[in-house]
Amino acid sequence: MGENSGGIWKLSSSKVALAVLAGAGVSYGLYKLAFCNSCLRKSLQDGRSVEAARQERDVFTSQSASNLEPEHLKMLILLLQTSLDPSSRKKALVTLGNSAAFSVNQDYIREMGGLHIIAGLLSDHDSDIKVQTLNALSNLSMNVKNQELLKVYVKETLDIIETAPLSSELQLAGLRMLTNMSVTNNYQYMMKTSVTLFLSLLVVGSESLQIQVLKVLVNLSANPDLVEDILKAQAPASLILLFDSCTNTEVLVRALTFVGNLKDSEASIHITEILKLKKDSLYFILHGETSQFYQKLSLLLLHPDVEVKNQVAKIMVSI
């Protein structure tokens, strides 16, 4: 089993669900009332019946995602299909995403046909809606049966990550979804052609982006069947600079874990002469004649973090 997206979109450890709408401090109740009355007026302006508009408002005034009943989930899914108001759709996605932190709701949403309806918003022109869509899909993908249906959106998610602004919430949300989709070996093969993209983001992105990229790479590198594809991938020469005591410790530990996973499987794969001579490959950067990787590893044995030193020792023992 691999690493999931870190629980960023799960509920807190107290298991208390997040509020459906994000109010501010003590004014939350007033904010919620004002917003929901606004939703009611907007729905009526859109030509919906008074009863339908009131039902929509009642869902948004629910105090907790854990309190949502199947009929509420169905109503939110219907809202995604019928509402022309971006604000209402965004809030529906947030609510569905929060509710999907509970396994029972992951099943309900799938059984209602909600997975494809939610994923359909990946093509929305509104970046914020795309982010909330990916956040919801990230939680929904923590379910084996859901993954079977969501695998068709892996390529679209990769395309979004590639074209999104660097280190944006959109990129981060896409990577969180892929992290959960790559926890098992079932769909990792769908991401192997994007290793070069991941490695490129790793050297130019923010620390938050680096961590999310490495979560995916660590998962992929734990699959022996993908190791040769990963080593063959084109990689930026500056990748070697990550293995330095100045690098954020969490990033460094994950980068070392990634390399350690590759080393574990290298002995069992056939490294061709072509791969050894391919100077822009990850293999050459790590193991080429001019590589400084092992020199940098030796220096990291002096790192103050115990986990860093443990990962370095693990790699050096396997040399």
Side-chain angles (χ1 to χ4, degrees), residues 35 39 56 60 79 83 85-93:
F35 170 77
C39 283
E56 178 181 318
F60 281 133
L79 185 150
S83 176
D85 177 28
S87 178
S88 293
R89 285 192 292 170
K90 190 188 307 180
K91 292 175 191 303
L93 286 166

Side-chain angles (χ1 to χ4, degrees), residues 117-273:
I117 294 170
I118 293 170
L121 292 173
L122 288 174
S123 59
D124 197 282
H125 68 278
D126 188 319
S127 178
D128 288 341
I129 287 180
K130 284 185 181 179
V131 169
Q132 297 306 332
T133 297
L134 286 164
N135 289 341
L137 293 177
S138 180
N139 272 353
L140 288 164
S141 63
M142 294 189 294
N143 179 301
V144 174
K145 290 184 178 179
N146 286 356
Q147 285 190 354
E148 177 63 27
L149 297 176
L150 292 175
K151 66 182 180 182
V152 298
Y153 301 105
V154 168
K155 185 182 184 305
E156 188 171 0
T157 301
L158 286 166
D159 290 341
I160 289 172
I161 291 169
E162 185 171 11
T163 57
L166 181 63
S167 300
S168 62
E169 280 302 313
L170 189 53
Q171 271 192 335
L172 290 166
L175 287 164
R176 281 191 289 266
M177 194 265 199
L178 292 186
T179 300
N180 287 343
M181 289 294 294
S182 63
V183 166
T184 67
N185 294 357
N186 295 344
Y187 311 109
Q188 292 175 345
Y189 71 93
M190 304 180 76
M191 306 173 206
K192 68 180 183 180
T193 57
S194 296
V195 171
T196 293
L197 168 64
F198 298 146
L199 295 175
S200 299
L201 292 175
L202 193 53
V203 300
V204 296
S206 65
E207 288 180 355
S208 295
L209 188 75
Q210 289 176 321
I211 290 169
Q212 291 301 327
V213 168
L214 282 164
K215 285 184 177 183
V216 177
L217 287 173
V218 166
N219 284 351
L220 298 183
S221 63
N223 183 349
D225 293 337
L226 296 185
V227 169
E228 187 168 357
D229 290 290
I230 294 171
L231 290 171
K232 287 192 298 187
Q234 184 178 356
S238 57
L239 184 68
I240 202 73
L241 299 178
L242 278 181
F243 301 95
D244 189 274
S245 59
C246 295
T247 299
N248 172 281
T249 300
E250 186 175 356
V251 172
L252 183 56
V253 168
R254 293 181 189 279
L256 290 167
T257 302
F258 168 58
V259 174
N261 285 348
L262 296 175
K263 287 293 295 181
D264 286 344
S265 297
E266 276 182 32
S268 63
I269 65 174
H270 180 62
I271 303 296
T272 65
E273 289 302 316

